[in-house]
Amino acid sequence: MSAPEWSGDMLDRPEMVSAFAAQLRRGLAEYAEFVAHIRRDAEAMWKENPPEGYGSFEAWWRHRWLTGPFAEIQEHLEAAAALTFRLEARYRRGRHEIPARRQAAAQARQAPALPHARDYVGRSPAPKQVRPDGQAAPDRDFLDLIRADREGRRKWPA
């Protein structure tokens, strides 16, 4: 059975990225521990069995040349394991938290939409307004006023 093909949508969910980062962190920690073990053994072996014919400075120099790269590799592996936390946090913020805040802000800024004309079909007209003198106020329906103006019956309310 072959390994699954990689695709970017495998990391679309935060829990998938969290699991990936944790697994990567464990793997890097295991390699860092392996390198640390080799380094400890190499340092102990070199200190207990220095090569014959070397002076103390040369022995120290060769010891440094042997164990120095192990220390650097171990530091890089530990730094890479620490970066997995940044990977997880950036992904969560960049792909989920920031877009969710932007969407919420955009929805808050958006004015409520005007009702659609089909919402008014079948409704009774609004009640007529009454003037303080008791007479009904003339209709102020804009479309009726335009139609009346076009027909030459200018009935603009007072």
Side-chain angles (χ1 to χ4, degrees), residues 23-24 26 34 55 90 121-123 129 133:
Q23 184 177 354
L24 183 60
R26 279 192 307 272
F34 174 72
R90 277 187 180 175
V121 174
R123 284 190 181 176
Q129 296 178 355
D133 60 359

Side-chain angles (χ1 to χ4, degrees), residues 7 11 24 36 39 44 49-50 58 64 68 77 85 105 119 122 139 144 157-158:
S7 66
L11 296 177
L24 183 60
R39 178 181 168 204
N49 301 308
E58 192 172 5
R64 181 171 176 231
L77 287 170
F85 291 106
D119 295 338
D139 275 339
D144 288 340

Side-chain angles (χ1 to χ4, degrees), residues 38-120:
I38 298 293
R39 178 181 168 204
R40 283 190 300 266
D41 288 352
E43 287 177 353
M45 182 182 68
W46 188 269
K47 285 181 182 178
E48 296 300 321
N49 301 308
E52 293 183 25
Y54 289 147
S56 62
F57 176 76
E58 192 172 5
W60 171 81
W61 184 255
R62 290 193 182 261
H63 174 263
R64 181 171 176 231
W65 272 91
L66 174 71
T67 59
F70 284 121
E72 288 179 35
I73 291 169
Q74 183 181 356
E75 288 171 10
H76 287 301
L77 287 170
E78 290 169 353
L83 285 174
T84 60
F85 291 106
R86 186 184 305 173
L87 165 82
E88 188 177 351
R90 277 187 180 175
Y91 175 84
R92 186 184 63 252
R93 282 193 304 265
R95 293 283 300 258
H96 297 283
E97 292 175 3
I98 293 173
R101 281 196 304 250
R102 285 183 182 161
Q103 184 179 15
Q107 288 175 349
R109 282 191 310 263
Q110 201 172 34
L114 294 175
H116 197 273
R118 69 174 168 252
D119 295 338
Y120 290 102

